[in-house]
Amino acid sequence: MALLNENSENKKKTASSSKKTTKTKDPLEDFLSDIKGLSDTMKKRVHKVLITEGIVDPRGIKALTKAQLEELPGISDTTSSLLIEQFEDKKEGKIFLSLEEREELETIRSKILTGSKDLDNLLQGGIPTGTFVELYGAPQSGKTQICYTLSVNTLLPKDFGGLEAGVIWLDTEGSFNSQRFKQVMSYYQYTYNIPEKKFDTKKFMVAATRTLAQIELALKEAGKIIPKNNVKLLIVDSLMDPFRAEYGGLGKLAERQKHLNKVLHLLMRVAEAYDLAVVYTNQVMANPDPFASAMDKVQPIGGFVLGHASDIRLWLRRATSKIRNQFDAPNARRALITDCGWLPQVECHFSIGAFGICDVEEEAKHRELALEIGFGFDQSSEEDAEEQVQTEFAKLD
Ligand SMILES: Nc1ncnc2c1ncn2[C@@H]1O[C@H](COP(=O)(O)OP(=O)(O)O)[C@@H](O)[C@H]1O
Ligand SMILES: [Mg+2]
């Protein structure tokens, strides 16, 4: 597991935070008090409405569209415009940025470590906050396992390469397992003597969101949790599952894509407002095109709507037997960046170790340590099983 990686970005203070002048107990009140053109009575009323709606931080306003703001009781067209303009006045809400300012904004983004140095290198340092990352692949390809390690590394104290920040996990498949989460966390205890209590596990929140209504409700609730817990990672495992369940059949495809677009925009505004990484997993389907290249033989589901939303698309699959034998790593996997606006289409290997994601060279070490400690683990039951591409979803897209 990649630890003590110089995650210098994490240590840098953001330009905006260093420029903040006052720090009050109620950031929302502070934000409202600066608005000219709004009476004190109105400010109090708006404050009350926002708090009732779970918006306890001014960034929560940024996460809403003008129309959504106006849906709140007592918020008129003028009031919502004033709230939005107040953001634009601030440095962080500036409309145009110079190249230097833009570069500064990109470099202060923290990177979440994946657990594998090779995978971190592939992503040029880990998963940057403020981005949308899609992990797609056949069942067992390691999607959920990457989410565990990313979560633990987000909670991890800064001195060890973590972000010391919060995580929200939306579990749509019922696959989240707290014992597995603890196993991944215990790696740091056994190898670096970082006890569990060093992790602020209260900052990890998981919601069982089987339906789309539950996802939307959870995202609303997240508005309260995100600023309170300083959430920097939001996981949706898996994103398309509830959409497939609720919009079955080709006839409902257009409707499904419209709804998907709505949920993605909601997530995008949250990611931008709070500068957090959104990582979602996705299933694959076989590409019916007989002339498709090897890379395009399988495709993530969700169509163009999801394709356009993802900043980084990572395709996960099992490593070849040559690699698995060479490194004594039966759980070795391959990760290929299939689509990203700033990273090349390159591939690396990683493994699913007994303590979560690690480099292929480390899998055997993980296994030995787990045996020593005596916790059970899966010694790759799928050794000879060929990767199965799920075709049952092909009908939908
Ligand atoms: N405790 C464990 N020790 C070692 N490997 C594990 C452990 N738990 C799960 N795995 C590996 O993770 C694989 C499942 O990966 P997962 O991320 O859950 O798949 P999916 O892509 O379907 O989300 C299993 O096939 C197994 O190889
Ligand atoms: Mg899974």
Side-chain angles (χ1 to χ4, degrees):
M1 197 173 279
L3 186 72
L4 304 171
N5 246 14
E6 249 329 292
N7 204 347
S8 57
E9 282 88 348
N10 298 349
K11 289 180 193 131
K12 279 186 201 164
K13 283 248 181 291
T14 64
S16 54
S17 71
S18 60
K19 282 198 174 107
K20 245 171 218 155
T21 44
T22 47
K23 204 165 162 63
T24 61
K25 270 186 225 121
D26 186 347
L28 193 59
E29 198 183 314
D30 201 29
F31 175 82
L32 291 172
S33 72
D34 286 345
I35 303 180
K36 293 176 195 84
L38 208 61
S39 71
D40 285 349
T41 328
M42 199 54 201
K43 279 176 190 169
K44 275 198 190 114
R45 197 180 300 161
V46 172
H47 185 269
K48 198 171 162 203
V49 169
L50 292 174
I51 295 284
T52 318
E53 289 299 318
I55 302 161
V56 293
D57 187 286
R59 287 173 296 174
I61 301 170
K62 208 178 166 189
L64 298 177
T65 60
K66 192 168 188 305
Q68 282 170 327
L69 269 174
E70 281 164 29
E71 273 171 29
L72 305 179
I75 305 231
S76 66
D77 173 44
T78 328
T79 313
S80 65
S81 298
L82 284 169
L83 290 171
I84 292 165
E85 276 164 26
Q86 183 65 13
F87 253 109
E88 305 305 338
D89 280 351
K90 304 254 172 210
K91 167 87 169 68
E92 54 264 43
K94 217 168 125 175
I95 297 174
F96 286 105
L97 298 178
S98 68
L99 188 60
E100 283 78 31
E101 283 171 326
R102 176 69 207 203
E103 205 181 350
E104 190 191 338
L105 192 78
E106 284 170 20
T107 51
I108 57 172
R109 285 194 162 145
S110 308
K111 303 256 171 75
I112 307 170
L113 302 177
T114 63
S116 150
K117 284 198 189 81
D118 289 341
L119 191 50
D120 288 341
N121 289 340
L122 190 84
L123 296 161
Q124 292 181 358
I127 287 183
T129 53
T131 55
F132 263 50
V133 181
E134 177 179 353
L135 306 173
Y136 71 93
Q140 313 285 306
S141 56
K143 304 180 292 289
T144 304
Q145 300 301 316
I146 292 187
C147 295
Y148 285 123
T149 304
L150 286 175
S151 300
V152 168
N153 284 345
T154 303
L155 292 176
L156 186 71
K158 286 184 181 170
D159 291 349
F160 299 95
L163 265 63
E164 232 170 283
V167 180
I168 285 183
W169 184 308
L170 304 187
D171 177 23
T172 69
E173 292 178 337
S175 60
F176 179 80
N177 182 299
S178 48
Q179 286 313 311
R180 180 63 180 148
F181 189 96
K182 285 192 164 171
Q183 277 180 357
V184 176
M185 210 159 61
S186 72
Y187 174 79
Y188 292 101
Q189 180 172 353
Y190 294 120
T191 49
Y192 296 95
N193 223 349
I194 309 174
E196 206 183 295
K197 66 175 190 299
K198 281 266 185 195
F199 290 88
D200 192 355
T201 47
K202 285 199 194 74
K203 283 189 177 168
F204 177 83
M205 297 291 237
V206 52
T209 48
R210 294 291 195 145
T211 65
L212 291 168
Q214 282 169 339
I215 289 190
E216 284 172 50
L217 198 70
L219 285 176
K220 198 174 164 200
E221 186 71 15
K224 292 182 210 166
I225 302 171
I226 293 169
K228 191 171 134 234
N229 286 356
N230 180 29
V231 171
K232 285 290 160 198
L233 174 65
L234 196 157
I235 283 167
V236 189
D237 185 27
S238 76
L239 180 63
M240 294 307 296
D241 207 51
F243 285 98
R244 275 204 308 120
E246 285 176 46
Y247 293 97
L250 261 179
K252 289 189 179 159
L253 191 57
E255 220 183 314
R256 185 194 85 175
Q257 293 305 84
K258 217 169 123 192
H259 199 164
L260 174 63
N261 200 28
K262 185 183 153 207
V263 170
L264 284 170
H265 274 87
L266 201 67
L267 284 168
M268 269 180 213
R269 294 189 72 89
V270 169
E272 201 209 313
Y274 297 102
D275 185 36
L276 48 87
V278 177
V279 175
Y280 45 86
T281 64
N282 196 7
Q283 293 134 353
V284 286
M285 60 168 191
N287 187 345
D289 180 358
F291 301 108
S293 66
M295 200 182 87
D296 293 331
K297 278 255 179 313
V298 293
Q299 284 177 336
I301 62 168
F304 287 119
V305 173
L306 192 56
H308 288 310
S310 312
D311 296 309
I312 306 174
R313 302 193 104 173
L314 213 54
W315 179 27
L316 311 176
R317 55 197 157 137
R318 255 158 72 83
T320 58
S321 54
K322 185 172 167 249
I323 292 286
R324 285 183 272 141
N325 294 335
Q326 184 185 342
F327 293 98
D328 184 19
N331 271 331
R333 299 288 191 271
R334 303 154 75 171
L336 171 72
I337 296 176
T338 52
D339 191 4
C340 177
W342 64 90
L343 296 171
Q345 262 185 0
V346 278
E347 187 178 54
C348 79
H349 287 96
F350 68 94
S351 260
I352 305 168
F355 297 91
I357 303 303
C358 60
D359 283 321
V360 277
E361 298 88 341
E362 281 184 285
E363 189 185 317
K365 239 178 7 196
H366 271 226
R367 200 164 51 225
E368 277 158 32
L369 183 61
L371 275 175
E372 223 174 85
I373 296 157
F375 68 62
F377 64 98
D378 175 6
Q379 223 179 12
S380 193
S381 49
E382 25 136 32
E383 192 108 273
D384 301 312
E386 273 312 306
E387 188 170 302
Q388 289 285 319
V389 174
Q390 289 262 310
T391 49
E392 57 168 309
F393 315 127
K395 293 168 231 131
L396 263 174
D397 283 65

